[in-house]
Amino acid sequence: MKLRVCFLWHMHQPYYKDPETGSYILPWVRLHAIKDYAALPVIFRRYRGVRHTVNLVPSLLVQVRDYVENGAEDVFLSVSRKNALDLTKAENEFLLRNFFSAYAPTMILPQPRYADLFRGHEAALRSLGRNNGGPGGYGASEYTDLATLFNLTWFHPLFREEDPELSRLWRKGSGFTEREKHYVLDHQIEVMGRVIDEYRKLSVEDGGELSSSPMYHPILPLLIDNRSALDAFPGAALPGLPFSWPEDARIQLEQGRGVFRDLFGSDPAGLWPSEGSISPAAIEMATGAGFRWTATDEILLARAFGKPVKRDPEGIPIEPDWIYRPYAAVTKSGPLPIFFRDHHLSDLIGFEYSRWDAHDAVNNFIHNIKQIYTRLSSGKSGSSKNEYVIPVILDGENAWEYFHDSGVEFLNILLSKLEQLRPNIEFVTLSDALDGIKEIRELPSIPTGSWIDGTFHIWIGHPEDHAAWEMLSRARTLLESKSRVYAKEENAVPPHLQKAKEYLMVAEGSDWCWWYGDDHFTPHGPEFDRLFRHNIKAAYKAMGIMPPDSLDIPIIKTEKTVQDKNVIPAPGSYIQPRIDGVVTSYFEWNSSRKVVPAPGFGTMHRAGHIVLSCFYYGFSVDEIFFRFDLDKVAVENAHEIELEILFQEKAVKFSSILDPMNSRFTCSFVKIGESGGETPSEQDQLKDPGNVRAAFGNVLELAIPFEALDCGRDERLEFFVTIQIPGSFGERWPIYGTFSAELPGTDFSERMWHA
């Protein structure tokens, strides 16, 4: 028996150009281009025995080309280029608020100067807010270093190492000149110029494959008819106005193919539908557009067959025979094969392995592949020849910033070891896998849904989503009424109406609603909101109509933005809970601050039960208190849970191993080395062990003296929490950055009295 494993890496950015200014307002196309987009093909090329499929979203490609060929800039780049001595107060504030937009443990803290600037930026903001400045303020040298380091840290390590000047600047680490800063910025555009050529080489010379998505990454089923949300989830809340424009969905597909053809000289065989979203109508449309295959998540395969994908404790499917094969979706336009991603294997790379030793992570992945092979080879499964395919499909950009070296070591070890599994286990493109299958079975039915929970809830399930869809529906209906006049007279639609339609197609993209509602958070939420509304506003102006005033009112409310920045305010009063692992009474934690974990900055999403239900924070005159509540369903069969609180700036962490089945636990409070790992000589030495108190029963309760954390004079305490059931996925809260908890300070009693 031969098993084929197919990697598909999805590369995606929305269209960031603000139609009101003509400038890109967020830098992620540029920054990911110099990091993951250009580097991954270089790494893949080293291991010809493993072939990859890369999905390139057209809205990403046209922006890369705009930077390289037309000198396009984004707001972050424009501010970076400005001499620090000429920065305005508003631009200084912009730098302080935005130039730490990177995952701190792997991209900020390893550079001492960047780490110092990071630790001091809140004080610098406060100083900036005072008319006469004050302690903690930054000068021109700090702002020059900040702009240089932010742009330098986003370079992939391969590009920093291959360029002597970048390598020198990385080692230098501080005291940058304006000339050095501009070298970094100019070299970013040079690396961006390699992106499209690298993917041409991947497909033409390296045996890889490129696939595509709809132009601006819309959820096709919702464009065709947003009532399809009811097919994915009966009873789903819908916007007050319907949206049903199949023509737009078709144009999004055709334009996307056109961009691909223009850049790569051929049509893409494969379609990754935005967010893995499919429906019978969307699949038929993709077939008619000329695609040879598409893909989505196993959750929709389970729905098509009416049975769940059952896995053993290691995550290996118990009945793999029906899972690991493409199925033909039969439509009026013909059959279209669909691949269904292995949710478990894909999420291991996307979310889990960044926290593991690279060798352990690779061995675990290979163990999983071998276990699947063994199970498929046994019994009746082994009778099918050359038909089994494991699709490993995941985000190709955002996972790597969580690895300490952008995933270089992990990928090199993984790909070299995967090559050794041939010939029984091959690693090929999706088109090659399809060509090797003699018979493709028919899918019992074509389900409707996305790769996240099998529903469209993230994009249409919240009041904010509804407001957005209704804005879009009104504008689209108005455009149709104006265009219909020309259609009746058999005249071509004039350019101004075509321009209006293009703006609305941008607004149809999935990314704007991704950030509405309470599923995800980004500090750049207001910018995403503004882009959505500005594109609709531009469509009205292109139609020659005064835009409604409602388009100037943010959909994301200010109070939500402030609330979700991982800031934990001081509790209402001092608390003094009994540290016994039991909630003795309601009043014990009544005045504390409750924090409910929610996905943070990252654009990736993982479904399933969250282990940490919530936690509470409070303090007395001399102690800090935490209480952690676990989700009962998530831990009902768990004998061991690892929970840690890492106070990175204080170089200490609280570690515990919990046994919910028997209400037992062990814990330690240890120093950690500057690199983030434990100092071997101090690994078992407790820091003030007699003063740190903890207990676990129904909940985990913890009391840490201020002196143990050396935070008596601080205004805030920075920390993050990790929690994991061994053998399962781990969690980090917040996903991005740290919680910033307010400390009492010297005037807390006085503030409580006035309150």
Side-chain angles (χ1 to χ4, degrees):
M1 188 197 82
K2 187 169 287 186
L3 175 64
R4 292 180 169 90
V5 180
C6 300
F7 288 103
L8 186 150
W9 307 95
H10 175 55
M11 308 296 193
H12 159 228
Q13 295 293 337
Y15 195 66
Y16 291 116
K17 183 174 284 188
D18 187 340
E20 291 200 352
T21 65
S23 178
Y24 296 110
I25 68 173
L26 288 171
W28 307 123
V29 168
R30 173 173 56 91
L31 297 182
H32 278 292
I34 66 171
K35 189 172 181 294
D36 311 306
Y37 299 148
L40 281 180
V42 175
I43 296 173
F44 294 163
R45 187 168 300 121
R46 298 171 179 171
Y47 307 96
R48 301 300 180 98
V50 180
R51 297 184 175 181
H52 304 262
T53 303
V54 178
N55 189 78
L56 299 168
V57 173
S59 59
L60 162 64
L61 295 172
V62 297
Q63 291 175 94
V64 170
R65 184 167 58 179
D66 199 16
Y67 276 92
V68 174
E69 297 181 4
N70 304 321
E73 290 208 355
D74 55 73
V75 176
F76 287 61
L77 181 56
S78 299
V79 175
S80 296
R81 290 192 190 281
K82 195 168 180 179
N83 190 304
L85 292 170
D86 299 327
L87 291 169
T88 65
K89 181 178 179 180
E91 288 167 336
N92 285 334
E93 182 178 353
F94 182 86
L95 283 164
L96 290 171
R97 292 196 182 280
N98 292 284
F99 277 45
F100 299 101
S101 296
Y103 184 56
T106 59
M107 299 178 70
I108 295 177
L109 299 180
Q111 266 287 5
R113 173 62 162 168
Y114 203 8
D116 287 343
L117 293 170
F118 178 56
R119 295 184 182 106
H121 83 283
E122 290 286 354
L125 276 169
R126 289 193 293 271
S127 173
L128 203 62
R130 295 188 286 264
N131 290 332
N132 298 321
Y138 283 172
S141 61
E142 282 81 11
Y143 289 115
T144 300
D145 280 359
L146 176 56
T148 305
L149 286 166
F150 171 69
N151 285 283
L152 188 56
T153 196
W154 272 95
F155 274 103
H156 195 279
L158 293 181
F159 300 132
R160 286 201 301 263
E161 292 165 4
E162 76 175 16
D163 183 83
E165 180 64 3
L166 284 187
S167 182
R168 182 187 73 81
L169 294 176
W170 186 246
R171 293 193 307 272
K172 180 181 180 181
S174 64
F176 299 108
T177 65
E178 286 291 321
R179 184 199 65 79
E180 289 171 331
K181 181 184 72 175
H182 279 277
Y183 181 88
V184 171
L185 300 175
D186 293 342
H187 199 69
Q188 286 184 343
I189 306 304
E190 292 180 28
V191 173
M192 290 187 77
R194 296 166 56 174
V195 170
I196 292 173
D197 283 339
E198 287 292 349
Y199 287 107
R200 286 196 188 106
K201 291 178 184 176
L202 181 76
S203 62
V204 175
E205 301 174 12
D206 302 332
E209 178 179 12
L210 305 180
S211 63
S212 188
S213 291
M215 181 67 204
Y216 294 107
H217 205 262
I219 307 295
L220 288 179
L222 296 182
L223 291 196
I224 295 170
D225 189 343
N226 67 4
R227 288 168 293 187
S228 64
L230 294 171
D231 298 327
F233 182 67
L238 294 179
L241 297 176
F243 191 96
S244 181
W245 297 99
E247 175 194 349
D248 290 15
R250 189 172 292 106
I251 293 173
Q252 293 267 12
L253 280 173
E254 292 171 353
Q255 277 199 13
R257 287 173 69 84
V259 168
F260 189 98
R261 189 183 311 116
D262 182 43
L263 289 174
F264 301 111
S266 62
D267 287 320
L271 169 72
W272 172 253
S274 312
E275 308 295 355
S277 299
I278 64 172
S279 67
I283 292 297
E284 181 173 350
M285 193 174 289
T287 306
F291 288 99
R292 286 189 58 229
W293 60 259
T294 188
T296 185
D297 188 76
E298 67 181 34
I299 192 172
L300 297 182
L301 177 67
R303 184 172 296 169
F305 276 88
K307 62 179 182 179
V309 175
K310 295 181 179 179
R311 286 183 152 85
D312 65 19
E314 288 189 308
I316 310 303
I318 296 171
E319 298 177 348
D321 182 77
W322 66 282
I323 300 170
Y324 294 122
R325 59 176 75 242
Y327 288 90
V330 178
T331 74
K332 294 179 182 178
S333 301
L336 183 67
I338 304 179
F339 293 92
F340 296 91
R341 75 189 278 263
D342 185 302
H343 192 107
H344 180 72
L345 289 176
S346 304
D347 280 1
L348 280 172
I349 297 175
F351 296 97
E352 185 66 19
Y353 286 152
S354 61
R355 294 138 45 91
W356 292 36
D357 171 81
H359 291 273
D360 291 342
V362 169
N363 290 337
N364 178 264
F365 188 84
I366 290 175
H367 172 76
N368 277 275
I369 296 293
K370 288 182 175 179
Q371 288 293 97
I372 293 170
Y373 181 87
T374 299
R375 193 159 289 176
L376 285 169
S377 300
S378 64
K380 63 177 183 180
S381 298
S383 62
S384 297
K385 300 294 183 181
N386 302 331
E387 291 188 353
Y388 294 117
V389 179
I390 304 177
V392 179
I393 303 174
L394 67 149
D395 186 293
E397 58 215 350
N398 291 303
W400 308 116
E401 63 196 76
Y402 297 94
F403 287 78
H404 73 92
D405 61 350
S406 293
V408 173
E409 182 182 18
F410 168 76
L411 283 171
N412 280 327
I413 298 171
L414 175 68
L415 299 178
S416 65
K417 288 195 173 184
L418 292 182
E419 285 187 316
Q420 299 170 21
L421 298 180
R422 299 177 299 165
N424 290 336
I425 303 176
E426 293 185 338
F427 299 86
V428 299
T429 67
L430 288 160
S431 285
D432 286 344
L434 203 60
D435 292 340
I437 297 175
K438 297 178 181 178
E439 178 186 359
I440 300 178
R441 300 178 185 178
E442 184 177 325
L443 196 65
S445 63
I446 302 175
T448 296
S450 76
W451 71 339
I452 299 177
D453 303 326
T455 73
F456 302 123
H457 177 75
I458 283 175
W459 302 277
I460 202 168
H462 310 88
E464 291 174 339
D465 298 326
H466 295 171
W469 280 99
E470 288 168 12
M471 285 181 182
L472 185 59
S473 181
R474 291 187 189 96
R476 184 64 183 87
T477 301
L478 184 60
L479 175 62
E480 182 65 16
S481 66
K482 287 193 165 291
S483 302
R484 195 177 296 124
V485 175
Y486 297 92
K488 286 182 179 179
E489 298 175 359
E490 298 184 354
N491 293 327
V493 175
H496 70 281
L497 293 184
Q498 293 177 19
K499 190 63 176 174
K501 190 164 189 175
E502 194 71 23
Y503 287 129
L504 292 183
M505 286 178 59
V506 174
E508 290 171 349
S510 70
D511 293 84
W512 324 121
C513 285
W514 176 271
W515 300 112
Y516 292 142
D518 57 2
D519 295 299
H520 304 106
F521 167 74
T522 170
H524 302 296
E527 285 85 354
F528 281 94
D529 183 18
R530 188 164 80 247
L531 278 170
F532 172 76
R533 291 180 290 105
H534 280 194
N535 275 289
I536 296 180
K537 192 174 180 180
Y540 276 98
K541 290 180 178 179
M543 287 187 277
I545 297 173
M546 182 69 69
D549 292 339
S550 60
L551 290 173
D552 292 321
I553 302 173
I555 296 175
I556 293 180
K557 303 305 179 187
T558 304
E559 59 269 20
K560 176 180 182 291
T561 303
V562 173
Q563 176 185 348
D564 281 343
K565 285 187 176 178
N566 300 330
V567 173
I568 304 175
S573 63
Y574 287 129
I575 64 172
Q576 196 66 60
R578 178 187 296 176
I579 306 302
D580 57 4
V582 178
V583 182
T584 310
S585 73
Y586 167 78
F587 298 101
E588 188 179 21
W589 291 89
N590 184 42
S591 296
S592 65
R593 290 293 180 180
K594 180 180 180 180
V595 179
V596 179
F601 177 85
T603 58
M604 299 181 292
H605 181 104
R606 180 175 63 202
H609 280 279
I610 292 174
V611 176
L612 182 60
S613 175
C614 64
F615 72 87
Y616 296 78
Y617 165 80
F619 46 68
S620 64
V621 176
D622 53 8
E623 287 184 303
I624 295 169
F625 301 105
F626 291 96
R627 170 184 138 195
F628 295 93
D629 293 21
L630 307 180
D631 183 276
K632 294 180 180 178
V633 175
V635 304
E636 60 182 352
N637 296 315
H639 287 276
E640 183 177 312
I641 299 170
E642 300 169 0
L643 186 149
E644 292 186 347
I645 315 171
L646 193 141
F647 305 93
Q648 186 107 22
E649 294 182 14
K650 302 299 180 182
V652 296
K653 70 176 178 180
F654 171 82
S655 300
S656 62
I657 298 178
L658 315 177
D659 178 1
M661 303 287 286
N662 300 294
S663 297
R664 292 196 298 257
F665 85 112
T666 59
C667 68
S668 63
F669 188 64
V670 300
K671 296 179 181 180
I672 57 175
E674 292 182 0
S675 66
E678 295 180 2
T679 305
S681 62
E682 299 174 330
Q683 185 171 354
D684 299 319
Q685 296 179 11
L686 298 186
K687 182 180 174 70
D688 296 327
N691 296 327
V692 175
R693 299 178 290 131
F696 176 64
N698 295 330
V699 297
L700 173 65
E701 293 180 315
L702 173 64
I704 307 175
F706 283 100
E707 62 182 17
L709 287 169
D710 190 25
C711 62
R713 295 177 301 278
D714 295 344
E715 296 180 351
R716 293 195 172 276
L717 181 65
E718 306 289 330
F719 66 92
F720 62 87
V721 179
T722 63
I723 185 168
Q724 180 177 19
I725 300 173
S728 183
F729 292 120
E731 298 170 8
R732 183 194 192 277
W733 303 113
I735 289 178
Y736 172 82
T738 59
F739 289 114
S740 180
E742 186 177 349
L743 293 168
T746 56
D747 61 344
F748 184 65
S749 297
E750 182 181 346
R751 284 187 282 126
M752 282 195 304
W753 177 260
H754 286 296

